[in-house]
Amino acid sequence: MADRRPITLRVNGQELSGSAEPRMTLADFLRDELGLTGTHLGCEHGVCGACTVLMDGRSVRSCLMFAVQAEGHELTTVEGLAAPDGSLSPLQEAFSTNHALQCGFCTPGFLIAVTEYLAEGAPGVDDEATLRARLSGNLCRCTGYQNIVTAVRDAAERMRRSP
Amino acid sequence: MKPAPFEYERPESLGEAVGLLAEHGEEAKLLAGGQSLVPLLALRLASPSVLIDLNGVRELDHLRLEGDRLAIGAMTRHRDVEEMAELRTRCPMLVEGVSLIGHVTIRNRGTVGGSLAHADPAAEWPSLVLALEGEIDATGPEGVRTIPAEEFFETYFTTALAPDEIVSEVRLRIPESPRVGSCFLELARRHGDFALAGVGALLELDSSGSITDARVTLIGVRDRAVRSSGAESVLVGARPDAEVFAEAAEAIDPEIEPVSDIHGTSEYRRHLAKVLVRRALALATERAGGV
Ligand code: FES
Ligand code: FES
């Protein structure tokens, strides 16, 4: 199965290329071909949300896409959230100060999914049920979610104060 | 958790896609949003030798509301329907039903045509298409064939599509009257899971407050989505009140055949479906400006 296809795409503002068999998922391509191991794989079949990345601004599960399908698209992974000088995004700050992670395995997926939510203006962030429903596509085995909920609220508040 | 090898085709037009499907026949699978198919590939429950990716077929990605007709291209993402501003007030049933599909990340990618062709009996789209008098275009080597929603869904994961046909568009009728109210309610064990049971309801009232048109659809309670003619015939011509809603809920009995599984017994699902019918009718009435 030497049928590898060349793939060129933009990741975190940089044009990158590699090659992959058609059956290689976008997640494996990011990790194994491009060396971007911040995107995690929990279940590899679309249940846990750990592999969430942004494609053209929208969150997608990178284990449910093939790398060949991302050709020519614009991706953001967790490596692209901090500023070039390393300073954290307001959401990353909020996760840190509110202890929204323990082992950190689920964190990249949460950060990406919530980055999309904050970019939409965080509709319903003050309503606990709405917020929890919004977060329900990402599983965390450690935290019990409470600190994640708190961190997302804190991030929305930080962004409201200094947009 | 790695799919078996396959050949990958990426047509850029519907004609090209139909040609590839005819050429590869049963060996091939169409890849739309991939939110159901890719897990099946990863678990190796499916291992087609050719995947025909429809994501490059631009002509299948469109969404237009003209008068009371909503035309949805097969590759339209759930999220695009959910976010269509006009629909929020015009047809809450549609927006609420679509927003119960999986999670945002799944709705960003999953497609309307994929969901219809997959025909999961607990999925929301088939019931929405039944409730809104949908018609589905199937394109094959002979051209386009239009299939009414009532004839499209046959049984578990089985539709009237021929093996060489591709769902290309679905058209719905979105009622325009201010005296129309609708909603979609379902119960799932966890947010984003497939529903134990779900109900879409749409009612139209006349100036005296009587029901002139009614649609009641159910998911998760049979081998396919159900439009309950029993409940609808109780409702049309009646005054919308709790007694009539209860009678309509009882009328679904002969039309559903819920199964028992780890998530709930058949009896529980039957009970739940009736409770949801009553609640959905009350909410639809309120939204139609009735009491
Ligand atoms: S690894 Fe993709 S959803 Fe779990
Ligand atoms: S912090 Fe360990 S899985 Fe979420």
Side-chain angles (χ1 to χ4, degrees):
Chain A
M1 264 297 145
D3 172 31
R4 293 178 78 90
R5 310 273 182 113
I7 296 162
T8 302
L9 70 186
R10 286 184 76 79
V11 187
N12 305 326
Q14 247 193 315
E15 188 165 293
L16 299 175
S17 3
S19 71
E21 269 185 68
R23 65 165 164 161
M24 179 179 261
T25 64
L26 176 58
D28 283 342
F29 181 74
L30 288 168
R31 292 176 54 83
D32 302 341
E33 295 294 315
L34 301 182
L36 294 168
T37 52
T39 298
H40 290 172
L41 279 162
C43 66
E44 299 191 281
H45 66 286
V47 175
C48 70
C51 66
T52 307
V53 300
L54 297 181
M55 184 167 83
D56 305 325
R58 281 183 163 190
S59 63
V60 298
R61 293 181 166 183
S62 62
C63 73
L64 294 188
M65 272 189 66
F66 296 107
V68 285
Q69 298 186 283
E71 165 74 34
H73 288 277
E74 173 99 39
L75 302 186
T76 304
T77 65
V78 69
E79 289 92 342
L81 294 183
D85 69 358
S87 53
L88 299 181
S89 75
L91 177 62
Q92 289 173 308
E93 286 281 2
F95 261 60
S96 169
T97 43
N98 293 285
H99 305 287
L101 58 144
Q102 288 177 26
C103 79
F105 191 86
C106 66
T107 312
F110 270 101
L111 290 173
I112 291 287
V114 176
T115 295
E116 176 188 42
Y117 176 56
L118 294 174
E120 288 167 12
V125 73
D126 297 323
D127 177 55
E128 176 110 8
T130 306
L131 177 53
R132 281 181 179 265
R134 180 68 191 226
L135 298 175
S136 65
N138 292 74
L139 302 183
C140 174
R141 304 261 62 184
C142 302
T143 62
Y145 301 99
Q146 191 53 55
N147 286 356
I148 296 177
V149 168
T150 309
V152 174
R153 289 214 171 121
D154 182 16
E157 187 54 40
R158 284 169 201 244
M159 291 175 73
R160 232 175 266 160
R161 280 199 307 265
S162 54
Chain B
M1 291 295 177
K2 310 290 181 195
F6 52 78
E7 257 177 68
Y8 176 75
E9 299 282 2
R10 190 181 167 87
E12 283 181 359
S13 71
L14 180 56
E16 204 189 322
V18 168
L20 285 164
L21 187 57
E23 180 189 331
H24 296 290
E26 303 274 297
E27 298 291 283
K29 277 257 173 237
L30 297 169
L31 174 61
Q35 305 299 290
S36 299
L37 179 57
V38 179
L40 293 175
L41 298 175
L43 297 164
R44 301 213 180 183
L45 294 169
S47 38
S49 51
V50 183
L51 267 196
I52 303 171
D53 183 358
L54 297 176
N55 286 279
V57 182
R58 286 278 175 82
E59 69 203 90
L60 293 181
D61 185 3
H62 59 260
L63 180 61
R64 282 187 300 269
L65 182 62
E66 279 161 15
D68 69 348
R69 294 309 262 177
L70 180 67
I72 311 174
M75 288 300 292
T76 302
R77 316 283 166 182
H78 306 309
R79 190 87 171 134
D80 292 326
V81 179
E82 184 184 356
E83 288 187 330
M84 192 174 189
E86 300 99 297
L87 293 177
R88 283 178 193 247
T89 43
R90 277 270 302 270
C91 197
M93 172 173 65
L94 186 52
V95 176
E96 289 168 0
V98 172
S99 61
L100 287 164
I101 301 170
H103 312 280
V104 171
T105 303
I106 285 171
R107 298 197 292 278
N108 279 341
R109 193 78 193 144
T111 67
V112 178
S115 178
L116 294 174
H118 191 54
D120 190 307
E124 289 80 4
W125 268 113
S127 75
L128 296 167
V129 170
L130 280 173
L132 298 170
E133 297 172 344
E135 44 184 36
I136 294 157
D137 281 353
T139 304
E142 317 293 308
V144 187
R145 175 167 78 103
T146 298
I147 309 168
E150 307 85 79
E151 290 163 28
F152 188 78
F153 305 102
E154 296 186 340
T155 182
Y156 295 104
F157 305 106
T158 307
T159 67
L161 273 183
D164 60 358
E165 287 179 322
I166 299 176
V167 173
S168 45
E169 185 180 272
V170 53
R171 287 175 301 280
L172 307 178
R173 198 176 71 77
I174 309 292
E176 273 177 299
S177 154
R179 297 291 283 172
V180 169
S182 71
C183 68
F184 197 97
L185 301 177
E186 68 176 43
L187 193 88
R189 288 278 180 213
R190 293 173 304 189
H191 190 91
D193 279 7
F194 277 107
L196 285 164
V199 172
L202 182 146
L203 293 176
E204 180 164 8
L205 307 179
D206 66 15
S207 51
S208 76
S210 295
I211 301 167
T212 53
D213 190 7
R215 324 274 170 80
V216 176
T217 55
L218 301 129
I219 61 171
V221 288
R222 200 177 164 173
D223 60 346
R224 56 183 185 272
V226 177
R227 181 167 166 187
S228 172
S229 52
E232 293 175 5
S233 59
V234 168
L235 293 162
V236 173
R239 312 275 311 173
D241 60 34
E243 221 168 292
V244 167
F245 298 159
E247 200 186 321
E250 288 308 315
I252 69 172
D253 252 333
E255 294 169 301
I256 65 174
E257 295 162 12
V259 294
S260 298
D261 64 16
I262 182 175
H263 302 295
T265 63
S266 163
E267 295 71 44
Y268 175 65
R269 283 193 158 91
R270 189 174 285 278
H271 169 77
L272 177 62
K274 291 179 187 176
V275 171
L276 290 175
V277 167
R278 293 203 302 267
R279 287 185 193 162
L281 290 170
L283 183 53
T285 301
E286 193 185 309
R287 288 178 175 172
V291 187

